Structure formats: structure tokens, C-alpha cells
Amino acid sequence: MAVQERQSLAEGTVDLPEPWRSAAVTVVLPTYNEAANLPVIVAGLLALPLTNVRILVADDNSPDGTGGIADELAERYGADKMTIVHRPEKQGLGRAYVDGMTRAMAAGAEFVVQMDSDLSHAPKYLPQMLGTLLSSDADVVIGSRYVAGASLAAEWSWRRRALSAFANTYVRALLRLGIRDVTAGFKIWRSAALETIDVASIRSNGYSFQVEMNYRSVRHGLKIVELPIHFAERRDGESKMNLRVQLESALMPFQLRRRAR
């Protein structure tokens, strides 16, 4: 793919060919207190040159009114573009993703995207990720922070960079997955791949959900491709990373190895 074409894809300016342009893509956005960010990411996704993209918001009963804003956006853009799932309480990232992904698959999505709602993952990368999935016959494409050409937000402190790099190195050393960014949360999946790994049965939560998804994919021999992205700092709100999430993520590789035995 030519450099100019890649740049145009990243900027969302290319008139995409078929079947790329009209592929049935559902983007699953888990939300908890993302009232300020949700309208921005929804507008960015629906402005992409993908005519059959849908958005499924799985809100964990956000106290800041994110669920109500999601309803307003769905009314503005139409039920054919947005679906809102109001979950009864905060149950965590993994549970929201499993709920959203299984609903998307049941509704007929060919491809399912997982990405953060805090604007750390830019919608502009999605057409290139989909194109790579189709052209390489991959099962999943990862928007990676740790391959050549990728970058992290300038706002990240050295401590945060070190913690993120250590977490990736730690998981990779224990599980030997052959993936550079094992905790990445920006991916596009073929629905058939999600069926293969039985996504509905995954019980991991927090960021360990990402690790278990990758682990199952490698164990089933799925083809995984990583593309470089710029990982931005969230625009508004607070990170959901807490001590409990960190501990679960640290223990997950050992649990996966024990189950495998």
C-alpha cells in the first residue's frame, strides 16, 4: 500500500472500494463516566468512509449521565446506526465487552471492533485496520502501541510508560504469545474468530480481558496482525485503572497457564 494511500486512510478521506466500504462493522464502546467523550468519538466513527458501520454502546449505569447522552445520540443518528445497552451496574470492562460483542454478532455483524471510549484510540485508524484484515486474511488486527511506527501520548510520565512496558514484557514472557502489545484494547475481529475463541465464555475483567482474548486466539491458531497507532491521552474524565484491576491483570497469565495444563 502506497504511503500516500496510507496517509489518506488515516485521515479518513479515501473513497473506499467494495467490499471494504460497505462491510458490516459494529464498534463496541464500553462506557462508564464518558459523558464528555462519547459524542466526540461517535461523531468521528460515523464520519468514516464506511457506509455500514454501527455503534453499540454498553454503558455500566454511569452516574455522570453517559447513558442518557448515548440515548440522545442514538435518537439523533438513528437506530440503524446506534444501539444502546443499559447495564444495571458497573461490572467492568470485560463484562461490558462480552455483552456488546455477543449482541453485535447476534445482530449480524461481519466484523466487530473493540476500542476505548476516552479518545485514546482514534477512529481514523479503523479503515486501515479493516483493510489490513481483508487484504491479509487475518482473523484479528490489533492497533498496537509497541510496533515500529507506533507512539505514546507525550503527556505520559516516565513512570506510566515504564509500567505499561513492564506489563507487556511480563505477560509476553509468561505466555509467549508472539504479540508485541498484549494488553492493547483497540482491535477489529472477524465474527467467526470471536465464535472460535468462544468470547461468550470469557470471564476475565478489566485489562486481563485483553490478555485472555489474545491467549485464546493464539491457542486456536488464529492469524493476528499488529498495526502501529498513536495512543493518545484521554481527553476528559478519569482512568479506570485501579489496584484491583492491576492485581487481576498480574495474576491472569498464571491462571491461563494453569488452565492449559
Side-chain angles (χ1 to χ4, degrees):
M1 187 180 293
V3 172
Q4 184 175 2
E5 185 178 355
R6 287 200 301 268
Q7 182 178 355
S8 296
L9 283 173
E11 294 171 352
T13 60
V14 162
D15 185 14
L16 304 178
E18 297 291 1
W20 192 353
R21 180 167 57 90
S22 60
V25 178
T26 296
V27 180
V28 177
L29 296 177
T31 56
Y32 185 77
N33 288 349
E34 299 291 356
N37 295 321
L38 186 61
V40 181
I41 192 169
V42 166
L45 287 167
L46 295 181
L48 294 173
L50 299 171
T51 60
N52 201 14
V53 67
R54 292 175 55 88
I55 299 171
L56 189 154
V57 176
D59 183 65
D60 269 5
N61 197 23
S62 300
D64 73 342
T66 300
I69 291 173
D71 287 335
E72 294 173 3
L73 292 169
E75 184 175 352
R76 179 191 311 173
Y77 291 111
D80 62 324
K81 288 297 182 183
M82 287 191 69
T83 300
I84 315 301
V85 178
H86 294 282
R87 293 162 53 75
E89 60 185 351
K90 185 180 180 182
Q91 298 174 346
L93 184 71
R95 307 274 39 84
Y97 265 133
V98 169
D99 192 357
M101 287 176 157
T102 52
R103 288 173 185 264
M105 294 161 62
E110 296 177 83
F111 309 98
V112 179
V113 176
Q114 57 175 116
M115 62 189 298
D116 293 343
S117 303
D118 61 7
L119 303 175
S120 57
H121 301 145
K124 67 181 182 180
Y125 293 112
L126 188 51
Q128 185 180 3
M129 292 170 69
L130 174 60
T132 300
L133 189 84
L134 293 172
S135 62
S136 66
D137 200 29
D139 296 294
V140 56
V141 171
I142 299 173
S144 177
R145 299 164 293 178
Y146 296 113
V147 293
S151 58
L152 294 171
E155 296 89 342
W156 274 31
S157 66
W158 69 266
R159 182 177 179 180
R160 186 175 178 186
R161 290 171 182 265
L163 179 61
S164 178
F166 171 77
N168 264 278
T169 301
Y170 166 80
V171 175
R172 289 172 56 215
L174 286 174
L175 297 181
R176 303 185 183 278
L177 300 180
I179 300 171
R180 297 294 302 175
D181 195 347
V182 292
T183 59
F186 192 12
K187 302 174 185 173
I188 181 168
W189 298 81
R190 293 184 188 270
S191 286
L194 292 173
E195 291 175 358
T196 296
I197 66 171
D198 191 14
V199 65
S201 71
I202 290 182
R203 292 293 173 263
S204 301
N205 218 335
Y207 292 91
S208 62
F209 171 79
Q210 315 293 1
V211 175
E212 185 169 4
M213 293 281 279
N214 287 328
Y215 180 78
R216 290 194 182 194
S217 298
V218 171
R219 294 275 294 183
H220 282 87
L222 300 185
K223 183 174 181 179
I224 302 168
V225 175
E226 293 183 80
L227 285 182
I229 64 165
H230 173 70
F231 187 86
E233 183 61 54
R234 70 161 39 248
R235 186 172 300 184
D236 289 286
E238 298 180 354
S239 172
K240 313 305 186 296
M241 176 68 77
N242 55 36
L243 181 60
R244 182 182 61 79
V245 170
Q246 292 179 37
L247 287 174
E248 182 191 29
S249 299
L251 292 173
M252 179 52 61
F254 293 100
Q255 293 172 351
L256 292 173
R257 288 175 62 179
R258 186 174 66 249
R259 292 176 200 170
R261 294 195 188 102

